[in-house]
Amino acid sequence: MKKYLSILAGILFAGTMLAQKETSNMRNQESQFSVNETMERIKQILRTMEIPVFAKFDHGKNAEEAGLELHPNQVIVFGSPKVGTKLMQENPAISIELPLKISVWEDKNGKIWTTVPQMERLAAECGLEKEPVIGKMQELLEKIVTQSIYKE
């Protein structure tokens, strides 16, 4: 049984690596759920972790209301003012990247993706790469996404 679990874990890890896309300051991972379900899973994780949600944007709905078409696309904004404020005290320019955000969207082929910022790269642009909280922010983003995109 342990052998099969190890094999399954290896397959899942390999699949995760293949399903990830990365651009300069963003990291994309494919979700096994719809945009709405992925977003609901993210919101539940944030509630469980007692992390405040500041806003949620439904770009698809906004486009529809403007008479335009857009595949489903939602963004959730969340974080801790105690953490973000300390970074902004060091360099206010980081405020353009805070609070944290996760985007969930559907591509033209019907695949669902999550996008998170690469906080280490963004922080480096503001001279904050040595702040220990940056790595923790990245770990948090990745933990939330990983828990929200895979079936249990």
Side-chain angles (χ1 to χ4, degrees):
M1 183 69 167
K2 286 184 181 179
K3 178 181 176 182
Y4 291 114
L5 288 175
S6 295
I7 292 170
L8 179 59
I11 290 170
L12 287 174
F13 179 76
T16 299
M17 293 297 108
L18 292 173
Q20 294 176 1
K21 292 182 179 181
E22 192 173 308
T23 60
S24 61
N25 289 328
M26 304 291 169
R27 180 173 183 217
N28 301 326
Q29 287 185 268
E30 188 174 356
S31 177
Q32 297 178 345
F33 305 101
S34 69
V35 169
N36 285 335
E37 189 170 352
T38 303
M39 188 58 71
E40 285 304 314
R41 292 170 66 93
I42 291 169
K43 290 189 324 191
Q44 180 58 45
I45 293 164
L46 292 170
R47 273 192 297 274
T48 300
M49 298 175 87
E50 298 181 354
I51 297 173
V53 172
F54 302 118
K56 183 180 159 234
F57 302 99
D58 188 333
H59 294 304
K61 181 180 175 188
N62 293 341
E64 183 179 320
E65 290 172 358
L68 302 168
E69 289 185 30
L70 181 67
H71 290 284
N73 185 321
Q74 298 179 24
V75 176
I76 191 163
V77 182
F78 60 94
S80 168
K82 289 180 181 180
V83 174
T85 301
K86 289 179 183 179
L87 291 171
M88 288 184 269
Q89 288 170 335
E90 286 293 316
N91 185 342
I94 193 74
S95 65
I96 195 70
E97 303 301 337
L98 299 174
L100 296 174
K101 298 167 230 24
I102 298 175
S103 176
V104 183
W105 49 279
E106 180 180 313
D107 70 15
K108 63 183 178 180
N109 299 314
K111 290 184 177 181
I112 308 303
W113 297 92
T114 60
T115 301
V116 297
Q118 294 288 80
M119 291 306 298
E120 287 99 352
R121 292 179 186 176
L122 296 170
E125 291 176 8
C126 296
L128 298 171
E129 64 274 12
K130 294 185 183 194
E131 292 292 328
V133 73
I134 297 297
K136 291 178 183 178
M137 293 168 101
Q138 192 68 47
E139 287 174 18
L140 174 66
L141 287 166
E142 292 176 14
K143 177 180 179 180
I144 293 167
V145 166
T146 299
Q147 290 179 3
S148 67
I149 64 174
Y150 296 114
K151 294 181 181 175
E152 299 165 0

